[in-house]
Amino acid sequence: MMVAIVMLLGAALAVPFVAKVTGRWTGALVALLPAGLFIQFARQLPSTSAGQPVTEVRPWVEALGVELAFRLDGLSVMFALLILGIGAIIAVYAGAYMGNHPRLGRFFAFFLLFMAAMLGLVVSDDLFALFVFWELTSLASFFLIGFVHDKEDNRAAARQALVVTGAGGLALLGGFILLASAADTSRISMLAQSSPGLIHDSRYGWILGLVLIGAFTKSAQVPFHFWLPAAMAGPTPVSAYLHSATMVKAGIFLLARLFPVLGGSDGWLFACVSFGGATMVLSAWACFAVTDLKQILAYTTTMALGLFVLLLGIGTTAAVEAFGFYLVVHALYKAGLFMAAGGIDHETGTRDLSQLSGLLRAMPLTAAAVALTAASMAGFPPWIGFVGKESTYEAALHAGASGLVALALMILANAALIAISLTLFFDVFMGPPRPTPKPAHEGPIGLWAGPVVLGVLGLVLGPITKPLASTLIAPLTVSVAGPYETHAALWHGLTPALGLSVLTIAMGGAIFAFRAHVRASAAITALASAFVVGPGRAFERALLALHQAAERIIALIHSGKLRRYLLIAFGVLGLAAALAFTQRVALNVDLATLGDVLAHEWIVVILLIASSWAAGTAATPVRAVLALGVSGYSVALIYLLFGAPDLGMTQFSIETLTVILVALILVHLPQTGLQAKTRAAKTTTLIVSSLVGMVMGGLTLAILSVDLSLTVSEYYARNSYVIAHGHNIVNVILVDFRGFDTWGEITVLTIAGLGVYSLLRRAEQRSETGLPDDERDADDQDLDSTSDHQPPASGET
């Protein structure tokens, strides 16, 4: 499994260079890798079907006990085969669709990166490894959706997808941390051992809420559904792969994977049934509010995703079996329909349903592909879609009161889906031909072969349901819901589920017959406003409001005055520290010990206080620096008096060097007063400085009044030579135990040095060009001397 992921990542790095040579054949070449991996994973089916998962564990962060653990069971092998199989077909299609695009290599690099991330996600057996791959899918999809980055629609769609799924990912990370803490393990296969007690854990509500937010954002559930239809701005191969067969199912996979751990509670049932049911029904009927073929297919995707969530919410073995069947059904028909829609757009110049008609003669092979895949989406017998739909009805019929509610929602959504399936074929291919931007004609084999293959598979798999169930569906159901006895078949006789299927087909036919009236109805108009258009606009307005709020904060804080910057920084620091101090720290100071302070020690303290006051009231920068130097020397005297000569000598050296260098620099800067010019400014400065001083003094006294733990010190002394092989404990701490800290300090010094060097070079260039001092840029002026500086107006740069 790890090798497969690495191979895909390596191919992603190599394909930009290979594409320069292979050109339009790049898609066929890329398809060889997922096709080969598909065969390799298919060879594991005997083991997963027998209930023997294939595991692989590799060390990752050994010090933290984190491992790269992979596990291939019935659930993960199903998703892996869909990812690789559908991916291979779409790679061939993408090669024909993209042609000799100048950025073809970049496209396939992102494509393979996404495939590797998705494969790693479904085979991960560690929560945090799964999260890494989860975020990688969001990043790769961002690049794929925004591939045509010179168009604003593509950039906006990519931004929406990244923000929504990224925010959900942060929530998911919080849920994973709480879950690993509650179960005392991050291994997914071991979490189920803690699940009975986990539901009663006080953290269960937070874990469930955060995980559901992550899953719902990724799988476009209400109210996060709007990003998926917007993502149709990306190239059609992206829509066919990411947003129908794979990425949007990542959230569904997560719910199925964690069902043994988090499922079964009232909260799980209510959330999944309510959100999944609402997404399913609203998305199915929203198809009548749009005319773009890809937009229509996008809403049928969110409809299917809502159905998946609904079935997992019911959670019975029959519901999980139906989930598995419809997983296969949806991947086959939706990828095929998306590719067919892309072929229509590619060869006619439009994908607007209102501009298409009578394409049967011009595009007979594409018409056959749409007929086959649309029939499976509608659930007509003997397609596999009929088996999937009947299994969902059977599951709902035997699930109690919640099942009856789910059943009503399914019938309502499926009736609309049947009408849309009929619309996609009859309105596009039948009737009188209409003129299109490009003369309609059949595309190259790469554009129609994939949809035809998937459509034929949907037809062939219907009659051979039992082998499919025993090989793929049964292992998936066992890994999610436990042992069960499958009853999958194309024909069960005259059953209630068959009667409901007939009713649904009749309703769908009636809706298709009156589709023009349905589109023009007030209900669809309201749905278009509230469900199709409204959420996306609300999101963009929220982003704009956030941007404007940030500009106002920047205008308030970034005034160009050094004094204000310092006041804000120290004021926030002082308030935060004071809050923590009052709530967590208790002082235990014995004032009687003040009588033990000697006269010369009082003199040093008075000198320290007087020099600090002088620094604060100094009229010029040079006087302030000299007064601060006296304060530093007073601190050094305290070190000497209390037996720390090494610290005292260090302090003397630093203060001497600082005073000399800063004084020399200040002599050459514009002479400006340091005092605040208004009484309010003086008062603010006094309050902030007093607050910080009291907090730091209080923290110092608090530290001195408690017994410090020597655990860390003892650890360093005991392990410095054994682990780091160093005799000097201080050096070992800096280089080994605090290596990243030291590395950070070195990085800061390096950046500061580069900044100083660039300033010196700039001054040297100015002297060479002979520019006078009064033509220096504002950036070279003393920040505090520009008292009339105003921040830029909102929106200016």
Side-chain angles (χ1 to χ4, degrees):
M1 289 174 276
M2 183 70 177
V3 173
I5 297 170
V6 171
M7 290 176 66
L8 289 171
L9 291 174
L13 293 175
V15 73
F17 306 99
V18 176
K20 295 179 180 179
V21 179
T22 55
R24 64 185 303 113
W25 296 101
T26 304
L29 182 63
V30 167
L32 294 176
L33 179 57
L37 294 176
F38 177 89
I39 296 173
Q40 184 63 29
F41 275 83
R43 293 174 61 185
Q44 307 301 323
L45 286 175
S47 297
T48 57
S49 299
Q52 299 174 353
V54 180
T55 59
E56 182 180 342
V57 180
R58 296 177 183 269
W60 187 13
V61 187
E62 295 185 73
L64 299 177
V66 179
E67 299 172 322
L68 279 176
F70 302 100
R71 188 169 184 263
L72 196 67
D73 59 4
L75 177 64
S76 54
V77 75
M78 166 73 87
F79 275 87
L81 292 176
L82 290 178
I83 292 165
L84 296 169
I86 300 294
I89 294 174
I90 293 180
V92 176
Y93 172 85
Y97 185 88
M98 303 293 289
N100 291 314
H101 195 284
R103 295 192 294 270
L104 185 65
R106 182 187 300 178
F107 172 84
F108 278 109
F110 294 145
F111 183 85
L112 288 169
L113 174 64
F114 175 82
M115 187 182 295
M118 195 67 198
L119 182 62
L121 189 154
V122 300
V123 299
S124 291
D125 193 33
D126 183 88
L127 288 175
F128 300 110
L130 186 151
F131 175 77
V132 170
F133 289 117
W134 179 282
E135 291 297 278
L136 190 57
T137 61
S138 296
L139 183 63
S141 67
F142 168 78
F143 291 122
L144 285 169
I145 297 170
F147 179 73
V148 188
H149 52 76
D150 54 348
K151 293 184 178 180
E152 174 59 27
D153 288 347
N154 294 67
R155 295 197 301 270
R159 182 178 63 243
Q160 272 193 13
L162 183 65
V163 171
V164 174
T165 59
L170 292 177
L172 182 65
L173 178 60
F176 279 178
I177 293 173
L178 290 175
L179 179 57
S181 174
D184 199 26
T185 181
S186 62
R187 289 288 290 272
I188 299 174
S189 56
M190 298 180 182
L191 290 174
Q193 301 174 6
S194 305
S195 59
L198 185 61
I199 293 180
H200 304 290
D201 192 285
S202 59
R203 292 164 287 188
Y204 174 77
W206 285 102
I207 295 172
L208 179 62
L210 292 171
V211 169
L212 289 179
I213 289 174
F216 287 177
T217 52
K218 200 78 160 183
S219 291
Q221 299 298 292
V222 172
F224 311 110
H225 64 281
F226 59 89
W227 73 263
L228 193 148
M232 296 303 108
T236 297
V238 174
S239 304
Y241 190 45
L242 275 68
H243 307 120
S244 63
T246 52
M247 176 187 171
V248 290
K249 290 195 177 80
I252 306 300
F253 169 83
L254 180 68
L255 294 179
R257 176 58 81 200
L258 295 182
F259 177 80
V261 182
L262 302 177
S265 67
D266 292 338
W268 173 280
L269 175 65
F270 175 78
C272 291
V273 171
S274 57
F275 283 93
T279 304
M280 178 179 63
V281 174
L282 293 175
S283 297
W285 287 89
C287 296
F288 293 102
V290 293
T291 58
D292 185 288
L293 289 180
K294 287 176 64 177
Q295 288 278 321
I296 293 172
L297 294 176
Y299 282 109
T300 62
T301 296
T302 55
M303 176 269 173
L305 296 173
L307 176 60
F308 290 138
V309 173
L310 178 65
L311 291 171
L312 290 173
I314 295 174
T316 61
T317 53
V320 175
E321 182 186 35
F323 162 80
F325 267 113
Y326 208 80
L327 195 67
V328 176
V329 171
H330 180 260
L332 294 179
Y333 78 69
K334 189 53 62 65
L337 283 173
F338 262 116
M339 288 189 284
I344 294 170
D345 184 22
H346 197 274
E347 303 306 329
T348 65
T350 182
R351 58 175 188 258
D352 191 334
L353 190 63
S354 62
Q355 299 180 18
L356 296 170
S357 179
L359 296 181
L360 180 61
R361 286 190 176 183
M363 307 181 70
L365 296 173
T366 303
V370 171
L372 290 168
T373 50
S376 186
M377 181 170 73
F380 294 149
W383 275 265
I384 185 67
F386 173 76
V387 180
K389 184 174 65 178
E390 273 220 330
S391 63
T392 62
Y393 285 171
E394 285 285 354
L397 283 169
H398 299 89
S402 61
L404 294 179
V405 173
L407 182 62
L409 296 175
M410 288 178 188
I411 294 173
L412 191 60
N414 282 327
L417 193 63
I418 290 173
I420 289 298
S421 301
L422 296 172
T423 301
L424 290 175
F425 179 77
F426 285 98
D427 285 14
V428 174
F429 295 100
M430 307 305 290
R434 292 180 183 175
T436 53
K438 291 170 58 177
H441 61 282
E442 194 64 81
I445 186 173
L447 290 182
W448 55 260
V452 169
V453 169
L454 294 176
V456 171
L457 274 176
L459 177 60
V460 170
L461 289 177
I464 56 173
T465 304
K466 288 188 180 296
L468 176 66
S470 60
T471 305
L472 287 174
I473 310 303
L476 180 149
T477 307
V478 170
S479 64
V480 175
Y484 85 114
E485 182 178 354
T486 180
H487 299 285
L490 180 62
W491 174 252
H492 290 96
L494 300 177
T495 62
L498 178 62
L500 292 174
S501 296
V502 173
L503 173 63
T504 306
I505 293 173
M507 291 174 59
I511 296 170
F512 171 71
F514 295 96
R515 60 192 180 281
H517 300 284
V518 172
R519 290 185 184 278
S521 65
I524 295 300
T525 303
L527 184 63
S529 176
F531 185 78
V532 176
V533 179
R537 287 182 176 174
F539 174 82
E540 293 297 334
R541 288 170 182 166
L543 279 185
L544 179 61
L546 182 64
H547 178 73
Q548 292 173 342
E551 285 187 334
R552 294 189 184 97
I553 294 173
I554 290 173
L556 176 66
I557 296 177
H558 290 275
S559 61
K561 297 183 178 180
L562 181 59
R563 178 182 290 108
R564 183 175 296 180
Y565 294 155
L566 294 176
L567 284 174
I568 293 173
F570 283 107
V572 173
L573 176 64
L575 289 174
L579 180 62
F581 185 87
T582 56
Q583 293 184 352
R584 296 178 175 270
V585 180
L587 291 179
N588 186 17
V589 181
D590 187 3
L591 297 178
T593 58
L594 294 177
D596 299 332
V597 180
L598 301 177
H600 62 279
E601 294 172 347
W602 279 113
I603 293 174
V604 174
V605 171
I606 293 172
L607 180 62
L608 177 61
I609 295 174
S611 58
S612 300
W613 180 263
T617 57
T620 63
V622 174
R623 292 181 183 177
V625 170
L626 293 176
L628 288 174
V630 175
S631 298
Y633 289 138
S634 301
V635 174
L637 288 174
I638 293 176
Y639 289 152
L640 291 175
L641 291 175
F642 287 90
D646 53 342
L647 292 179
M649 293 304 299
T650 303
Q651 184 74 13
F652 273 121
S653 303
I654 292 174
E655 289 300 329
T656 302
L657 185 62
T658 301
V659 169
I660 293 174
L661 290 179
V662 175
L664 289 175
I665 292 171
L666 290 176
V667 167
H668 297 281
L669 290 178
Q671 295 299 312
T672 178
L674 291 179
Q675 290 298 302
K677 296 177 175 59
T678 64
R679 183 177 298 274
K682 292 181 180 179
T683 304
T684 304
T685 303
L686 177 62
I687 292 174
V688 172
S689 58
S690 301
L691 173 65
V692 175
M694 288 188 293
V695 168
M696 296 307 299
L699 289 176
T700 303
L701 292 175
I703 292 172
L704 294 175
S705 63
V706 299
D707 294 329
L708 299 178
S709 174
L710 300 178
T711 304
V712 177
S713 302
E714 293 171 352
Y715 174 84
Y716 287 152
R718 185 171 59 253
N719 293 288
S720 291
Y721 182 77
V722 176
I723 296 179
H725 308 289
H727 295 276
N728 189 309
I729 296 178
V730 175
N731 290 346
V732 169
I733 292 172
L734 294 176
V735 176
D736 290 274
F737 295 116
R738 291 178 55 195
F740 281 109
D741 182 26
T742 306
W743 176 77
E745 293 171 355
I746 294 173
T747 303
V748 170
L749 289 174
T750 303
I751 294 173
L754 291 174
V756 171
Y757 174 76
S758 64
L759 290 174
L760 294 175
R761 286 285 298 167
R762 188 176 183 184
E764 182 179 337
Q765 292 170 358
R766 284 178 176 277
S767 63
E768 291 175 357
T769 56
L771 288 175
D773 291 341
D774 57 359
E775 293 186 13
R776 292 180 299 171
D777 291 339
D779 290 341
D780 294 331
Q781 303 292 333
D782 178 60
L783 286 174
D784 202 36
S785 65
T786 58
S787 58
D788 58 345
H789 174 77
Q790 296 293 330
S794 176
E796 293 183 5
T797 58

